Amino acid sequence: MKAIIPVAGAGTKLRPHTYTQPKALIPLAGKTVLSIIVDQLHSAGINEFIFIVGYLGEKIQDYVKAKYPDLTCHFVYQNERYGTGHAIDLAKEIVGTDEVFIVLGDTIAEYDVKEVIDSPYSMLGVKKVDDPRNFGVAEIEEDGFISRVVEKPSIPKSNMALVGIYKIKETDFLFNCLKKIIEKAEALVKELSLTDALECMIQSGAKFKSFKVQSWFDCGKKETLLESNATLLKKFGGGLADNHHFENTIIIPPVSIGEGCDIRNSVIGPNVTIGEHTILNYTIVKESIIGSFSKLFDVVLDDSLIGSDTGVKGETRSLNIGDNTDIDLG
């Protein structure tokens, strides 16, 4: 089995951070969005990964090669972003006839990966939502099998949203359906949906069973990213890396602090993630994510997302600051 992880999106809802950093590499509870996904799949026995990259793709490639040197990794560039269906179709030659486990690059969820892999059926992850109109939606029979999937229906017949996790056994069937959709699409079509290909498979006789994820973490925008950071820190307990210096500092768990940080005269926590080699002095931070190689002085931060290599000093604020920024709040 091979894993496909599409990470070519521009992450426009997380700008300014995604101008310089792929959304999948934003720090979250001491890891990155991408590393949480890869670790989940690798721990369940998957050792070969296909990353569909595009915007800032070289950063994804460098990160994966440095962090996962023992995995077999392929990188496929999606130069024109025509949706998830188009992204998956680009992996066709590498997949061959193997089964695939697809996880969208901004999807973090709690579920039993091994159980899904071992199922004799193709599987789609679902979660009940209040308003399913912005999601792919699965219509599920009493036995758990899926009778229909629809992308962003205006009048949903189900409130079970597709979370972005798919195990496909009949990959030749999948790529044939993708080919049909691509051939039918007009030149002006910008989005080729994977959901449409799955519906093509279902209506042609493929069997899909649903599985419910326990939790589904939204990493698509600042507010929900900070909420997900807090939840994951509470779940994992946070942690302090080796080789750091604290002086006259109070730590309120859960927090995650990267290697080589120098923190003095400060209060950190709760629910704070700090990257590597960051300096804080006379600073109070809670409910925030701070990037690596940043410098914060004389500032109180709450509900803030601060990029890497950033300097901030001044007053109490809630900030959303991208990488390579220097701000003096007076």
Side-chain angles (χ1 to χ4, degrees):
M1 177 175 286
K2 295 182 175 74
I4 303 177
I5 305 180
V7 283
T12 54
K13 292 180 181 178
L14 273 173
R15 287 176 177 167
H17 303 275
T18 47
Y19 282 125
T20 55
Q21 184 84 305
K23 179 167 63 173
L25 297 187
I26 286 177
L28 192 66
K31 297 188 175 185
T32 63
V33 175
L34 184 60
S35 69
I36 292 173
I37 295 170
V38 173
D39 290 347
Q40 271 186 321
L41 299 181
H42 180 46
S43 64
I46 298 178
N47 297 304
E48 188 166 359
F49 289 78
I50 304 167
F51 298 92
I52 312 299
V53 299
Y55 181 71
L56 299 175
E58 68 284 351
K59 290 194 173 185
I60 297 279
Q61 192 164 341
D62 291 346
Y63 175 84
V64 170
K65 287 182 176 179
K67 187 168 180 63
Y68 299 104
D70 298 327
L71 295 181
T72 301
C73 296
H74 310 271
F75 300 91
V76 178
Y77 272 80
Q78 185 184 20
N79 295 317
E80 298 291 338
R81 293 190 296 275
Y82 291 132
T84 52
H86 176 247
I88 301 305
D89 187 64
L90 293 174
K92 177 170 54 181
E93 298 302 323
I94 300 173
V95 170
T97 58
D98 289 344
E99 296 180 13
V100 294
F101 203 114
I102 302 169
V103 181
L104 302 187
D106 58 357
T107 297
I108 299 176
E110 290 183 285
Y111 61 105
D112 190 331
V113 184
K114 193 71 169 63
E115 184 178 307
V116 175
I117 290 174
D118 292 342
S119 170
Y121 304 105
S122 292
M123 304 283 281
L124 302 182
V126 298
K127 178 75 171 167
K128 184 183 290 186
V129 297
D130 293 331
D131 185 356
R133 289 175 297 176
N134 291 321
F135 303 94
V137 173
E139 297 175 17
I140 304 171
E141 303 294 335
E142 290 184 3
D143 57 6
F145 285 98
I146 297 172
S147 60
R148 187 172 180 238
V149 291
V150 186
E151 183 67 16
K152 297 180 181 177
S154 56
I155 305 176
K157 294 184 178 179
S158 164
N159 60 357
M160 302 302 292
L162 299 172
V163 302
I165 302 171
Y166 320 83
K167 189 197 80 169
I168 312 292
K169 293 182 68 69
E170 307 92 340
T171 47
D172 55 341
F173 209 162
L174 169 66
F175 289 117
N176 283 337
C177 278
L178 284 169
K179 182 180 179 181
K180 290 179 183 177
I181 291 169
I182 291 169
E183 287 175 349
K184 287 181 180 178
E186 299 177 4
L188 295 178
V189 171
K190 292 296 183 183
E191 292 288 332
L192 298 170
S193 169
L194 177 59
T195 305
D196 292 341
L198 300 176
E199 173 63 10
C200 167
M201 291 177 68
I202 292 169
Q203 298 309 318
S204 300
K207 287 282 190 181
F208 280 90
K209 200 162 191 179
S210 63
F211 68 94
K212 295 179 181 178
V213 300
Q214 299 162 28
S215 302
W216 182 17
F217 301 101
D218 187 348
C219 303
K221 54 186 179 180
K222 176 199 167 188
E223 294 78 14
T224 54
L225 183 70
L226 292 175
E227 290 173 8
S228 296
N229 181 62
T231 303
L232 290 168
L233 281 171
K234 289 166 186 169
K235 177 177 173 57
F236 297 138
L240 307 180
D242 297 331
N243 185 27
H244 53 63
H245 177 76
F246 296 160
E247 180 181 306
N248 192 30
T249 289
I250 297 171
I251 304 293
I252 304 172
V255 300
S256 173
I257 298 178
E259 186 175 292
C261 290
D262 186 344
I263 303 177
R264 307 167 188 250
N265 311 305
S266 297
V267 180
I268 309 299
N271 303 323
V272 172
T273 291
I274 299 176
E276 299 177 348
H277 303 288
T278 285
I279 298 172
L280 292 86
N281 196 2
Y282 292 104
T283 292
I284 299 173
V285 183
K286 65 178 181 178
E287 309 288 346
S288 298
I289 298 174
I290 312 297
S292 300
F293 298 96
S294 293
K295 298 179 177 65
L296 279 65
F297 300 98
D298 301 305
V299 67
V300 178
L301 296 179
D302 185 8
D303 292 312
S304 296
L305 183 56
I306 308 296
S308 296
D309 194 25
T310 295
V312 181
K313 62 179 180 178
E315 303 174 350
T316 303
R317 292 287 189 275
S318 173
L319 301 175
N320 187 12
I321 302 171
D323 294 354
N324 308 108
T325 303
D326 191 8
I327 293 181
D328 186 344
L329 298 172

